[in-house]
Amino acid sequence: MIASINPFSGELLKVYTAISSKEITEKILNADVAFHVWKKIPFADRKNMMMNLSAELFRNKEQHAKLITLEMGKLLTEAFLEIEKCARMCKYYAENAEVFLSDKQIETDAEKSFIIYEPMGVVLSVMPWNFPYWQVLRFAVPALMAGNVCLLKHASNVPQCAMKIESLIHDCRFPENVFQTLLIESDKVAEVISNPIVKAISVTGSERAGSMIAALAGKQIKKTVLELGGSDPFIVLDDADIHKAIVNAVKSRLGNAGQSCIAAKRFIVAEKIQEEFIQQLKAKFILLKAGDPMLAETQIGVMAREDLAVELEEQMDKSIALGAQLICGGKRVKTFFEPTILSQVKPGMPAFDEELFGPVAAVTSFNTIEQAIQLANESRFGLGASVWTTDLPKAFQIARQIEAGSVYINSLMKSDQRLPFGGTKKSGYGRELGQQGIYEFVNMKSVLMN
Ligand code: NAP
């Protein structure tokens, strides 16, 4: 059974029966048939379908956004932004995929040599609930434009979103079965991976899920892209525009109720301005209006599941027991977690070493730039980072030394369809988005002619 539960009210919205092994095999066979049709469809037609998808998302954004909020509890205003972002990304790949995947001539000693890009076939995606449309489409849109077909195993708490995305793609007149949702629990993923028709796997989720899936795929010599957790540093130098840093710290840490892979999680702040930074952050945190995520006036919603909120509470409590200081917040009622600030956070505490996937900001101070860089890199994750300073040459030097897939200077860390996105270290490997993202699920074939 896969249940859809409203995390704000606790209401059971819908229950689905997970599909059987026989149904999984049928769907994979259908995907294979669809692949042989889809890969021959010209780019111009793929482009039209993708533009339909973009237009449909814009047109019906309210319906899609409400479903997201209902099922995983993010603010409706944030769900709208998620749908609009998906629509823009569909348009981007609709307009650019053909150029990205056109044959590229390379000068060699031969008469002619070039690279051609061919789809891999049926690709499985295993996706998280935190951006239930964006994460799925971020993988599927470039994969489809490249001629692949997609299977989706979505997180078990967002089955309605999973089914809606499948019907949405179908309604935009893509051929039958180019995108199918598999309503399965995680114990069936191994079965899908071992099917020889499935050629590659894209995972967005926790380090644990990524490692287990990559191990299964590795055994079968199947390619994986892993977009995993993060504990992004937010480095504030003493010459930073503190107002700007605070506004973005609040957005970054509390957006999506703190449940974003690239949320700023560790605030590494110059000792000289630490007290001012904490007091200004606290002033913003305590004023936020909590409540029903469907209401426009609500500024901080609920977490997606109670077990996730309990886990966060345990990480916070352990950190406090190890010497972190509670500045504000710290209380939890079911799925609601108060916006919380911990100061004096140090390596060795869960708030520093682990990913805090909820609205808890961990503040650590530094005295020298070298110390700030060392603290930023003292993490097993390496997804994103941001640096806040008015000294841009210095910021650029720092950016070069940060172990992360992206570093944003004086800017909120967020993905952009035009830039490659992904991690280093335990945050995973491979890239999504941009021109680079579309090459992950293609066979780059070198052809040489004399
Ligand atoms: P999760 O528990 O790892 O789940 C992600 C997906 O993996 C779900 O579909 C889940 O299915 C499946 N899964 C879990 N364990 C599995 C296993 N052993 N074998 C096969 N499949 C398995 O993560 P989450 O709680 O949904 O998402 C939060 C995590 O995702 C955070 O760490 C966050 O940083 C990361 N994330 C990363 C990015 C990025 O771009 N790097 C983006 C968003 C989120 P079930 O739901 O059925 O368990």
Side-chain angles (χ1 to χ4, degrees), residues 126-127 129 135 138 153 156 204-206 209 227-229 261 355:
V126 181
M127 291 289 146
W129 46 264
Q135 303 297 359
R138 186 176 76 173
K153 182 268 177 276
S156 294
T204 302
S206 62
E227 295 283 356
L228 309 179
C261 55
E355 180 179 31

Side-chain angles (χ1 to χ4, degrees), residues 127-294:
M127 291 289 146
W129 46 264
N130 63 338
F131 291 86
Y133 272 58
W134 169 250
Q135 303 297 359
V136 172
L137 293 175
R138 186 176 76 173
F139 149 74
V141 168
L144 286 168
M145 285 307 292
N148 298 293
V149 306
C150 306
L151 296 172
L152 166 67
K153 182 268 177 276
H154 215 328
S156 294
N157 54 330
V158 287
Q160 293 200 68
C161 288
M163 296 310 289
K164 190 74 190 168
I165 296 169
E166 182 186 80
S167 64
L168 172 67
I169 291 175
H170 180 263
D171 294 348
C172 291
R173 296 196 218 106
F174 283 79
E176 209 60 33
N177 298 324
V178 298
F179 181 99
Q180 295 177 86
T181 286
L182 305 177
L183 276 181
I184 54 172
E185 281 169 321
S186 56
D187 59 354
K188 290 277 189 196
V189 168
E191 204 174 300
V192 182
I193 294 174
S194 64
N195 189 308
I197 291 172
V198 175
K199 297 293 185 285
I201 303 96
S202 179
V203 185
T204 302
S206 62
E207 185 187 342
R208 190 176 152 274
S211 155
M212 291 179 83
I213 294 170
L216 291 166
K219 226 172 167 184
Q220 314 266 345
I221 325 284
K222 292 186 183 181
K223 174 162 185 176
T224 47
V225 165
L226 302 183
E227 295 283 356
L228 309 179
S231 185
D232 288 7
F234 183 106
I235 304 168
V236 192
L237 305 197
D238 57 11
D239 62 358
D241 173 340
I242 196 141
H243 173 71
K244 193 172 172 185
I246 291 288
V247 168
N248 285 288
V250 175
K251 277 192 199 157
S252 185
R253 182 58 290 200
L254 300 184
N256 212 22
Q259 304 162 116
S260 165
C261 55
I262 44 166
K265 292 175 185 137
R266 294 177 299 135
F267 294 83
I268 299 174
V269 183
E271 173 69 34
K272 216 166 121 186
I273 57 158
Q274 189 197 195
E275 198 44 42
E276 186 187 356
F277 182 87
I278 290 173
Q279 290 314 320
Q280 288 202 29
L281 194 64
K282 178 181 170 184
K284 297 271 185 204
F285 272 31
I286 57 176
L287 282 183
L288 293 173
K289 188 171 171 358
D292 184 345
M294 282 288 179

